[in-house]
Amino acid sequence: MADTCGQVILGSGLTVLSHPLMYIKVLVQVGHEPLPPTLGRNLFGRQVYQLPGLFAYAKHIIKIDGKVGLFKGLGPRLCAGTLGTVVHSKIVQKCHEHGTLEFQKITFTEPVLSTIGHSEQKIGDGSIQNVVNETTKEMIARSCATIVTHPFHVITLRCMVQFIGREIKYSGVFDSITTIYREEGILGFFTGLIPRLLGDVLALWICNMLAHFINTYAIDDSMSHTGELKNCFQAVTGFFASMLTYPFVLVSNLMAVNNCGLAGGRPPYASVYPTWVHCWSHLSREGNMSRGNSLFFRKLPAGKTYAINQKRFY
């Protein structure tokens, strides 16, 4: 219990500090570009038209809403973080209580059940079976936490996107819950859930499996600073996995605000997507699958025209 409380406090602090970054990232993801491109230079010294980066975007928000404006949607995001931490900890605890073999039976991981009939056999910490077991447990814990907290995630995103049309439709957690239930029913709380789950699961497996193979075949335990090298490669594989699965994050966020009654989620500003697959296809055709992935050195998209009235590209 004490560990969970510590995780909640630490997580809440990090959430508060990182919230302005997420806020700006979400606005860029939905395509809101309040400032026109400016002529600048890239890393190689060539002149290019650049889009406003993180700090320029933050100054624009502060100019309109003040410094407090950078923290729109913080309340429901803190609720999601707290609830997610508790659910994740409880699921992980239950998994460890059941034990490795019993947990495998529950989750139907047949390829890992080569030790059935040898229940006394211990799986090595560095074996592929152990990596699969631990990743499966973490996958279930994360998925449960994501499902439970997704309604708060949807509210957070919609509170942020209100900046585009200057609406006040989603003004608080309880008012937002009432609004979503009245207009969209229960399913409204889970818009964008499927791509978010797929992205989380794929990122987790890619990261853990890559880290395992690198630690097993590329790093010799006799080398000096082995621990530091493994931590470094773990961070690199995590970054690589997040880059590969970023389109799922983008599609999930866009679906969460799509056609929800806000200017940032309906025509003419944004298209209406029947399903997340249609959203994926549309973004892919337009070459926008990485939109919002970087908030620094943002160059003008090729073949796009800036519409100053709508503050977006088309």
Side-chain angles (χ1 to χ4, degrees):
M1 184 63 182
D3 291 340
T4 303
C5 291
Q7 292 175 7
V8 168
I9 295 173
L10 178 60
S12 298
L14 294 175
T15 296
V16 173
L17 293 175
S18 65
H19 191 76
L21 178 64
M22 178 186 175
Y23 183 23
I24 296 171
K25 194 178 190 71
V26 169
L27 292 179
V28 173
Q29 285 177 338
V30 299
H32 185 57
E33 298 291 348
L35 302 174
T38 57
L39 188 62
R41 295 185 181 275
N42 60 15
L43 293 174
F44 302 100
R46 296 177 58 184
Q47 282 192 337
V48 293
Y49 278 99
Q50 298 177 336
L51 298 176
L54 173 65
F55 299 109
Y57 213 123
K59 288 181 180 178
H60 175 74
I61 295 175
I62 293 173
K63 183 179 179 180
I64 297 175
D65 291 336
K67 294 182 179 179
V68 179
L70 291 172
F71 295 92
K72 282 186 177 180
L74 178 60
R77 191 181 174 202
L78 286 173
C79 292
T82 302
L83 183 60
T85 300
V86 173
V87 172
H88 181 273
S89 299
K90 293 295 183 181
I91 297 297
V92 170
Q93 181 181 354
K94 290 294 182 181
C95 291
H96 286 300
E97 288 177 356
H98 279 83
T100 303
L101 187 60
E102 291 78 2
F103 185 82
Q104 290 171 353
K105 294 177 181 177
I106 293 173
T107 54
F108 304 101
T109 54
E110 289 88 348
V112 188
L113 294 181
S114 59
T115 55
I116 287 184
H118 302 278
S119 57
E120 298 299 324
Q121 182 179 353
K122 211 172 176 183
I123 299 176
D125 289 340
S127 68
I128 186 66
Q129 291 178 330
N130 187 70
V131 174
V132 171
N133 287 339
E134 294 303 317
T135 304
T136 302
K137 294 177 185 180
E138 181 65 17
M139 178 188 70
I140 293 177
R142 287 193 187 185
S143 298
C144 291
T146 298
I147 293 172
V148 171
T149 61
H150 194 73
F152 293 103
H153 181 68
V154 171
I155 295 172
T156 298
L157 296 176
R158 294 186 180 185
C159 288
M160 293 175 170
V161 173
Q162 286 183 139
F163 177 81
I164 298 174
R166 311 305 298 164
E167 298 105 338
I168 55 172
K169 183 177 181 179
Y170 300 94
S171 56
V173 176
F174 296 106
D175 289 341
S176 299
I177 291 174
T178 303
T179 300
I180 294 175
Y181 182 77
R182 183 178 64 249
E183 296 183 357
E184 305 171 54
I186 294 294
L187 293 180
F189 294 105
F190 298 96
T191 53
L193 175 62
I194 294 178
R196 188 183 178 199
L197 279 176
L198 289 175
D200 286 348
V201 170
L202 285 175
L204 178 64
W205 279 96
I206 292 172
C207 177
N208 285 3
M209 296 307 292
L210 276 179
H212 168 72
F213 286 116
I214 291 174
N215 292 338
T216 302
Y217 300 107
I219 299 179
D220 190 349
D221 289 337
S222 62
M223 298 170 58
S224 60
H225 307 291
T226 302
E228 290 81 353
L229 284 174
K230 289 185 177 181
N231 291 335
C232 179
F233 279 118
Q234 184 75 27
V236 171
T237 54
F239 177 77
F240 178 71
S242 66
M243 291 288 291
L244 287 180
T245 58
Y246 178 78
F248 290 96
V249 177
L250 176 62
V251 171
S252 174
N253 289 350
L254 291 181
M255 290 305 298
V257 301
N258 188 246
N259 200 28
C260 65
L262 299 177
R266 65 170 185 257
Y269 190 87
S271 302
V272 175
Y273 306 109
T275 66
W276 71 271
V277 178
H278 290 82
C279 179
W280 183 293
S281 300
H282 182 257
L283 292 175
S284 181
R285 286 196 305 269
E286 294 194 342
N288 287 329
M289 295 303 290
S290 61
R291 188 171 65 192
N293 193 22
S294 174
L295 296 180
F296 300 96
F297 304 107
R298 302 175 58 222
K299 64 179 182 178
L300 181 69
K304 299 291 184 179
T305 302
Y306 181 71
I308 191 170
N309 294 330
Q310 298 181 7
K311 297 181 179 180
R312 69 181 182 94
F313 293 98
Y314 65 91

